[in-house]
Amino acid sequence: MSEVTIIIDGKEVQAQKGQRLLQVALKAGADIPNLCYLPGVEPPQNGCRLCWVEVEGLKKPVTSCTQVIEEGMVVHTRTPAVDRLVRSGFEMLMSVHRLDCKVCPGNRRCALQDIAKSRKIPLKPKRLNKIEPDLPIDESRPDLGFNPNHCVLCGHCVYVCNNEVKKKILDFSQRGLATVISTFDGRPLADQECDGCTRCAEVCPVGAIYLRQ
Ligand code: SF4
Ligand code: SF4
Ligand code: FES
């Protein structure tokens, strides 16, 4: 791969041709909201729709996790159009999220809280009706718990369980607005051949899959 130079918010950044813009920008210190990107996973899931940027010469903002860098690219991470898209995407996400931070295992280490703080967007959406999910919590195991009401469907747990640990216990289930993360057969975690590696809890950016102490 050959080296290219791009400009991110006025700063020159060197990277390898063909890399995804989000990975390069985050490494260079840019603050771009993202939930579903895992470095090295190709193609990117492109599910959270939060990592918007503007690239000079392109008519519309693009998701930076899918955008491949090219020599001379000039990128802006904060424009009115980008901020609008990030805010709308975040509000949509939070409109179907059970917001009970005080009792959530993710409290104070949660990517949603970080995004809300850095973009000055309230965690509780103001413009959309809120539907608080009330799905059953799985605390069948002593070491791991799963609360689907906090899940943002980033897919990180599914990826590591299937591709790194190769246990194939977790997957996306159902479709559209009903999509949830579940075990393959729908039975609780305690009934699975899970050896408690806890990689899923490590990669969960919120408080959905968590360690039980
Ligand atoms: S996942 Fe994050 S935003 Fe949601 S309740 Fe837990 S700490 Fe709060
Ligand atoms: S449980 Fe966590 S890691 Fe898995 S999809 Fe939901 S938010 Fe992502
Ligand atoms: S990080 Fe780009 S769409 Fe989620």
Side-chain angles (χ1 to χ4, degrees), residues 54-62 67 70 72-76:
E54 283 202 80
V55 176
E56 288 188 12
L58 299 184
K59 284 186 184 154
K60 293 178 183 170
V62 291
Q67 181 67 45
E70 285 169 23
M73 195 174 242
V74 180
V75 181
H76 302 280

Side-chain angles (χ1 to χ4, degrees), residues 6-40:
I6 65 172
I7 312 280
I8 304 176
D9 294 334
K11 183 176 147 191
E12 265 193 20
V13 176
Q14 261 77 43
Q16 299 301 316
K17 191 176 177 190
Q19 279 187 291
R20 301 282 178 179
L21 177 54
L22 178 62
Q23 185 176 14
V24 173
L26 293 178
K27 196 169 169 213
D31 176 19
I32 300 177
N34 67 93
L35 290 172
C36 69
Y37 182 68
L38 262 187

Side-chain angles (χ1 to χ4, degrees), residues 19-193:
Q19 279 187 291
R20 301 282 178 179
L21 177 54
L22 178 62
Q23 185 176 14
V24 173
L26 293 178
K27 196 169 169 213
D31 176 19
I32 300 177
N34 67 93
L35 290 172
C36 69
Y37 182 68
L38 262 187
V41 175
E42 290 290 340
Q45 195 209 342
N46 194 22
C48 72
R49 315 290 292 167
L50 291 176
C51 63
W52 296 100
V53 295
E54 283 202 80
V55 176
E56 288 188 12
L58 299 184
K59 284 186 184 154
K60 293 178 183 170
V62 291
T63 47
S64 57
C65 68
T66 53
Q67 181 67 45
V68 173
I69 59 165
E70 285 169 23
E71 172 64 34
M73 195 174 242
V74 180
V75 181
H76 302 280
T77 66
R78 296 301 298 266
T79 66
V82 164
D83 286 357
R84 267 197 306 278
L85 284 166
V86 171
R87 178 174 280 269
S88 312
F90 191 72
E91 285 179 338
M92 292 266 287
L93 200 62
M94 297 311 289
S95 70
V96 291
H97 185 88
R98 177 165 283 273
L99 195 58
D100 47 12
C101 302
K102 281 190 184 150
V103 295
C104 176
N107 196 17
R108 296 177 197 276
R109 53 163 196 84
C110 170
L112 296 170
Q113 292 175 328
D114 292 344
I115 294 169
K117 192 171 169 198
S118 79
R119 295 292 165 128
K120 296 187 172 46
I121 309 172
L123 278 169
K124 190 171 179 181
K126 287 186 177 154
R127 298 182 299 177
L128 297 174
N129 288 335
K130 195 157 166 53
I131 305 160
E132 291 232 324
D134 193 16
L135 299 162
I137 298 169
D138 182 351
E139 289 199 333
S140 57
R141 289 179 62 98
D143 52 352
L144 276 176
F146 174 50
N147 184 342
N149 303 301
H150 292 153
C151 177
V152 293
L153 300 175
C154 71
H156 291 182
C157 56
V158 175
Y159 179 81
V160 296
C161 188
N162 285 268
N163 298 82
E164 277 184 22
V165 189
K166 303 203 185 299
K167 284 285 185 181
K168 302 192 191 310
I169 289 167
L170 301 170
D171 199 3
F172 289 91
S173 162
Q174 304 186 53
R175 285 166 187 245
L177 284 176
T179 306
V180 286
I181 298 295
S182 163
T183 55
F184 263 96
D185 56 12
R187 288 184 300 137
L189 284 167
D191 295 345
Q192 308 295 327
E193 286 184 20

